[in-house]
Amino acid sequence: MKTVPTKPFTDQRPGTSGLRKKTRVFMQPHYLENFVQSVFNTVREISGAEFGNETLIVGGDGRFYNRPAIQIVMRMAAANGFGRILVGQGGILSTPAASAVIRRRGALGGLVLSASHNPGGLEEDFGIKYNIRNGGPAPENVTERIYQHTLNIDQFLTVDARDIDIDTIAVTQIANSTVEVIDSLADYTAVMQELFDFEQLQSFISGGFRLLFDAMNGVTGPYAHHILERLLGAPHGSVIRGTPLEDFGKEHPDPNLVHAADLVAHLHGDQAPDFGAACDGDGDRNLILGQRFFVTPGDSLAIIAEHASSIPGYRAGLAGVARSMPTSTAVDRVARELGVECYETPTGWKFFGNLMDAGRCTICGEESFGTGSNHVREKDGLWAVLCWLSILATTRKSVSEVVADHWARFGRSYYQRHDYEALDAAGAAEMMSALRDRLSSLVGQNFSNAKIANADDFSYVDPVDGSVSAKQGVRILLDNGSRVVCRLSGTGTEGATLRVYFERYQQDGGKSDVNQVLAPLVTAAGQLLELRKHVGREEPTIIT
Ligand code: VG1
Ligand code: CO
């Protein structure tokens, strides 16, 4: 064991989902080490754990720098006295799989190396996140404490040891720690087999149902090859871009209509399969498509909740549901119908964990293509795909018919998110603070074809532990039930990203055009925010 003197970096505050930076930033001497040591110091303080009796999980989405980072983490974990270190074979663990491994192996926690859907490579992004014993992202009090440690760190612990072979399943030793390279697929697959009726899905697929899954060169490839093709019998070729690449083929591994354009084109073609889906770089996001049909994440969440009781893992019913504040209210209406609670949390998966641990929430999701349940404590892309396959196998309806049925029964939340990327950070912050200053004066004013009934900055009181998370996004609520939400992203690595979310509910069978329905809201929001004045731009970078 050796103690290495170090100096703090001042920019290691974890964001919505861990610490994300340009890869080159992470490659600076001691940058990763400082953060990892700060995590270990925090965890030791908070949990009082005797590391010698504990297991740490390490794995990532396979992006550039994943492998060297894993070697650094393993040496430091050994020096910090962990009894056992488990690493996914090849350094691979999807984010939901890491969560499953932490839970099933009774680990103290895990370090997940990923920048999710952000591009990878020497000039792109890298990230690291600490997940706690329940398998979920560390809550805010922990991430804040980690940050405080990074500001005061003056040494880290490591050992002189050769690199471990992480490609071969084997048990070895670094100093006094046992290092086990484990099958990256086994724990996750076992969880899926507990939840879903694999025989039903197998016979559905062998009966001629055609699916196309795009792993976007990210980490889900091996999981999808194994589960969809090998176990469920989807023909070879049903999984495309299924080998994890360090640079994701120089593309954005972000499953939306823009970045998964090839998949979308397949679903619009003459030979269109019945179902299309994609996951992001680290496997926690999902895109669901039917023939010439896109299911919005908000609708997908609501529909999964609506049909959950037909899936074996949820046959007992739902304890409750949850969604992040900007996510559409479609799931709220399903919860009302089911007679269960619907919780509204701030953006980011870490807020769902407490609700699930307390047995108050079974299924949850976000508008950002994230859906999941209490089977792990992360959103889970492939799980959402299996939910949809189960719904289609049970109802024997097409994707668009299932959604049309939902809209006919519950009405439809017309919904869009407009992102303004790479804005000047100061201008964006100024715009948000100008807006916050005006909130109380907005009430009663005209906005599009309605009046502003309420305007506030979302503050969340955790119903389980009472902790408060303030300033989670500005909400403009109209007297006709429509709303506009505005917040700055906490996952970007360059400048600021502004997200503006629009929602308008109508009971029209869902047949209207979303752009037309939302146009008045979009125009009114543009005037209110004075985008050109503050950030010199009026058109969003991307609409999802
Ligand atoms: C975004 C999304 C949020 C999601 C987060 C992490 O955060 O809006 O819903 O939880 O990314 O997703 P932000 O702060 O940029 O809006 V990912 O797939 O890391 O794993
Ligand atoms: Co992700």
Side-chain angles (χ1 to χ4, degrees):
M1 209 248 299
K2 70 179 187 193
T3 304
V4 182
T6 189
K7 289 205 181 74
F9 294 87
T10 54
D11 64 345
Q12 296 194 312
R13 184 193 283 277
T16 314
S17 190
L19 183 66
R20 286 192 193 158
K21 297 285 172 195
K22 288 286 158 204
T23 309
R24 281 192 193 275
V25 173
F26 265 104
M27 291 170 76
Q28 297 173 83
H30 297 186
Y31 194 89
L32 178 64
E33 288 87 341
N34 278 13
F35 188 79
V36 171
Q37 188 63 53
S38 299
V39 169
F40 292 158
N41 293 347
T42 302
V43 175
R44 206 190 303 262
E45 262 170 34
I46 287 184
S47 67
E50 176 49 63
F51 284 0
N53 303 326
E54 301 286 355
T55 301
L56 181 79
I57 310 299
V58 194
D61 62 12
R63 72 179 58 222
F64 181 82
Y65 201 53
N66 190 45
R67 286 167 168 274
I70 284 175
Q71 299 291 345
I72 290 173
V73 168
M74 289 192 301
R75 279 194 279 266
M76 289 185 63
N80 278 272
F82 274 95
R84 203 159 68 124
I85 302 162
L86 301 187
V87 55
Q89 189 178 14
I92 292 291
L93 280 177
S94 78
T95 293
S99 187
V101 174
I102 294 171
R103 295 168 67 79
R104 290 176 82 87
R105 310 282 182 130
L108 175 64
L111 285 162
V112 184
L113 306 170
S114 168
S116 188
H117 53 287
N118 292 10
L122 179 59
E123 304 302 337
E124 301 294 350
D125 293 353
F126 193 77
I128 182 167
K129 180 169 72 162
Y130 182 70
N131 282 25
I132 58 175
R133 209 186 267 288
N134 74 358
E140 272 192 335
N141 64 322
V142 178
T143 57
E144 179 56 30
R145 201 131 157 185
I146 294 170
Y147 175 56
Q148 293 305 326
H149 269 286
T150 68
L151 296 177
N152 295 304
I153 192 158
D154 58 9
Q155 60 175 52
F156 63 85
L157 304 181
T158 187
V159 294
D160 285 319
R162 271 182 303 157
D163 278 3
I164 294 272
D165 169 11
I166 56 173
D167 293 305
T168 313
I169 293 186
V171 182
T172 43
Q173 199 81 18
I174 306 182
N176 294 322
S177 307
T178 306
V179 178
E180 271 181 66
V181 179
I182 59 166
D183 179 346
S184 311
L185 310 177
D187 294 74
Y188 181 79
T189 304
V191 176
M192 293 303 111
Q193 284 171 318
E194 284 164 18
L195 294 173
F196 297 98
D197 183 345
F198 272 48
E199 272 170 33
Q200 177 201 24
L201 297 179
Q202 212 173 23
S203 71
F204 183 52
I205 289 169
S206 68
F209 179 84
R210 293 188 309 137
L211 68 93
L212 188 62
F213 179 86
D214 184 357
M216 304 193 86
N217 304 316
V219 77
T220 327
Y223 296 87
H225 278 305
H226 184 58
I227 293 176
L228 300 178
E229 293 180 345
R230 236 167 280 145
L231 299 180
L232 296 179
H236 185 75
S238 301
V239 174
I240 55 173
R241 298 201 282 172
T243 303
L245 300 178
E246 288 206 325
D247 62 355
F248 305 112
K250 302 213 175 350
E251 298 190 54
H252 277 255
D254 192 352
N256 59 38
L257 296 179
V258 175
H259 295 301
D262 285 354
L263 177 74
V264 174
H266 276 294
L267 272 292
H268 277 79
D270 296 339
Q271 302 292 308
D274 302 296
F275 176 77
C279 286
D280 71 337
D282 65 327
D284 57 358
R285 296 187 177 205
N286 72 90
L287 167 71
I288 301 293
L289 301 170
Q291 286 180 345
R292 282 170 290 282
F293 196 86
F294 159 60
V295 187
T296 67
D299 283 339
S300 177
L301 169 63
I303 289 167
I304 290 172
E306 180 189 352
H307 291 270
S309 62
S310 69
I311 299 171
Y314 308 97
R315 212 142 262 165
L318 306 180
V321 297
R323 61 163 172 85
S324 66
M325 181 274 283
T327 302
S328 99
T329 55
V331 72
D332 303 35
R333 294 186 286 276
V334 173
R336 221 169 294 140
E337 185 78 20
L338 295 173
V340 299
E341 195 70 36
C342 176
Y343 297 91
E344 186 177 37
T345 60
T347 294
W349 213 259
K350 53 174 158 313
F351 298 98
F352 295 129
N354 268 355
L355 296 171
M356 292 185 162
D357 290 349
R360 292 163 79 152
C361 163
T362 310
I363 284 179
C364 58
E366 297 190 278
E367 49 62 43
S368 52
F369 297 83
T371 340
S373 90
N374 59 353
H375 66 287
V376 288
R377 295 291 181 274
E378 288 280 5
K379 53 187 181 275
D380 187 344
L382 205 47
W383 169 88
V385 171
L386 293 172
C387 283
W388 269 93
L389 290 177
S390 304
I391 293 168
L392 300 174
T394 302
T395 60
R396 299 281 160 166
K397 290 184 172 161
S398 70
V399 172
S400 60
E401 285 165 350
V402 169
V403 177
D405 285 357
H406 175 83
W407 288 339
R409 183 168 168 209
F410 292 95
R412 174 176 175 190
S413 278
Y414 291 86
Y415 189 90
Q416 264 177 4
R417 181 177 103 180
H418 293 201
D419 290 339
Y420 297 79
E421 292 172 358
L423 298 177
D424 168 59
E430 197 185 281
M431 191 214 78
M432 284 304 290
S433 84
L435 179 63
R436 287 188 161 109
D437 290 344
R438 290 170 61 197
L439 286 180
S440 55
S441 71
L442 292 178
V443 178
Q445 282 189 23
N446 291 327
F447 191 93
S448 70
N449 43 8
K451 270 197 172 26
I452 298 178
N454 200 6
D456 68 0
D457 196 350
F458 181 56
S459 183
Y460 178 66
V461 182
D462 187 302
V464 180
D465 65 18
S467 60
V468 177
S469 304
K471 292 188 126 180
Q472 296 295 322
V474 168
R475 307 189 282 190
I476 314 277
L477 306 167
L478 306 187
D479 58 3
N480 63 0
S482 297
R483 57 177 194 147
V484 176
V485 171
C486 219
R487 56 179 284 280
L488 294 180
S489 154
T491 57
T493 57
E494 260 169 324
T497 294
L498 169 70
R499 306 202 196 284
V500 191
Y501 311 77
F502 302 94
E503 176 174 14
R504 182 166 170 187
Y505 174 65
Q506 288 186 177
Q507 261 173 316
D508 59 359
K511 304 222 165 51
S512 308
D513 176 72
V514 62
N515 288 309
Q516 255 166 31
V517 172
L518 295 180
L521 283 180
V522 173
T523 307
Q527 287 160 0
L528 174 74
L529 297 176
E530 297 181 298
L531 286 171
R532 180 153 297 282
K533 177 176 141 196
H534 291 288
V535 296
R537 234 199 267 169
E538 258 154 16
E539 293 308 313
T541 322
I542 185 167
I543 297 178
T544 50

